[in-house]
Amino acid sequence: MAAMTPLLTTRDLRKSYGGLRAVDGVDFAIVPGEIRAVIGPNGAGKTTFVSLICGRVPPTSGQIVFDGNDITDLPAHDRVRRGIAYTFQITSVFSNLTAYDNVALPVQRTLTDGRSKGRLHAGVMSALERTGLADRADTVAGALSYGHQRLLEVAMGLALRPRLLILDEPTQGLSDGEIEGFMQLVREIARDATVLLIEHNMQVVMGLADRITVMNTGKILAEGTPEQIRANAEVQRAYLGTEA
Ligand code: ATP
């Protein structure tokens, strides 16, 4: 895997809020098809880091390259068009719209490839099917269970046909059974996309990720396979404690 050309790289990426260095010089690379987990204690800079990749916040300095192109200064919707989709911690579904419309909306809003109604419909249904929500297409999102609402967020990202899907704490609040299903879903998604997820559940991290990036105080503390991270004494001290 290491020899493959990365899909995404960041070089010396930084984001400061006043005197606080939320992201402090991150050099990062992810290769196509990889499942990468970003872990680290609260406030480590994980959400800020992925927000920089998505274009939700502008960096203070540094560079972001996606598929060989410098996207550092591109607005978020242009990044979506290039294949970067994300779902965030804060539930982003519209509770008064149906599951179907929630999935269709971001596609209509961001993709300007003149997609026909038929193709839009097929794409929305495919995303709902992949997430197991096809039979809930006409259900108002607010009436879905919490777990289904989280899956709906993933479907919203999937319908954009991303090359890189970014998930911020996707299993938060899910039951054990739902987490198992979610892990299977991510493995399926990774057959034709790259997945970058921020995750606190170490079982998910260790069971799902090809590689793990550990952040602490805005910097990358360690990077490696689940086995390497589990065995890393510095990571143990800073973060894992007895969890692993
Ligand atoms: P968590 O696991 O709790 O979500 P995190 O690793 O995702 O944490 P971030 O949310 O990226 O961490 O926050 C990194 C630091 O930047 C924190 O100290 C946070 O308070 C600060 N921060 C994040 N966004 C802003 C903002 N918009 N304005 C000011 N400070 C911010």
Side-chain angles (χ1 to χ4, degrees):
M1 239 189 206
M4 281 175 83
T5 306
L7 177 65
L8 175 98
T9 53
T10 72
R11 294 197 194 108
D12 198 21
L13 196 61
R14 294 170 189 270
K15 179 67 182 180
S16 297
Y17 292 106
L20 177 85
R21 295 174 180 173
V23 172
D24 192 12
V26 169
D27 292 310
F28 176 88
I30 184 167
V31 298
E34 189 179 340
I35 300 175
R36 176 74 61 96
V38 179
I39 67 171
N42 291 337
K46 306 177 300 293
T47 296
T48 305
F49 175 59
V50 297
S51 298
L52 292 169
I53 294 172
C54 300
R56 291 170 90 223
V57 294
T60 305
S61 64
Q63 192 186 32
I64 306 166
V65 175
F66 181 70
D67 195 24
N69 298 301
D70 188 329
I71 60 159
T72 315
D73 298 320
L74 277 189
H77 58 266
D78 280 338
R79 299 187 199 202
V80 174
R81 284 184 197 129
R82 282 169 190 249
I84 301 176
Y86 55 90
T87 69
F88 272 93
Q89 249 169 331
I90 302 142
T91 300
S92 51
V93 301
F94 292 105
S95 53
N96 55 337
L97 294 183
T98 63
Y100 184 97
D101 285 341
N102 265 288
V103 176
L105 204 63
V107 182
Q108 287 165 327
R109 242 192 341 220
T110 51
L111 299 188
T112 51
D113 59 0
R115 207 179 286 187
S116 68
K117 269 193 173 167
R119 280 189 61 209
L120 171 71
H121 176 71
V124 171
M125 285 314 296
S126 157
L128 288 171
E129 270 154 26
R130 288 175 77 185
T131 49
L133 293 172
D135 61 346
R136 308 291 161 105
D138 297 326
T139 304
V140 176
L144 295 173
S145 70
Y146 180 78
H148 281 161
Q149 289 191 30
R150 301 307 312 255
L151 285 171
L152 182 58
E153 289 173 14
V154 177
M156 289 161 72
L158 272 184
L160 295 165
R161 294 185 298 179
R163 299 176 62 195
L164 175 64
L165 180 64
I166 299 175
L167 307 166
D168 192 349
E169 299 191 26
T171 65
Q172 202 183 35
L174 298 189
S175 68
D176 288 349
E178 287 170 334
I179 287 175
E180 198 48 54
F182 169 81
M183 288 171 73
Q184 198 47 45
L185 171 64
V186 171
R187 288 189 193 105
E188 278 164 31
I189 291 171
R191 287 193 200 138
D192 52 19
T194 306
V195 179
L196 174 59
L197 77 160
I198 297 177
E199 182 57 62
H200 283 290
N201 181 322
M202 293 312 293
Q203 241 174 309
V204 175
V205 170
M206 294 298 174
L208 202 52
D210 297 309
R211 292 175 68 78
I212 298 168
T213 298
V214 187
M215 285 187 75
N216 197 22
T217 62
K219 298 181 196 313
I220 292 182
L221 175 71
E223 218 162 48
T225 61
E227 294 70 30
Q228 289 167 335
I229 294 302
R230 214 193 290 268
N232 185 312
E234 209 181 348
V235 174
Q236 293 281 347
R237 268 197 303 277
Y239 179 57
L240 291 178
T242 53
E243 273 186 83

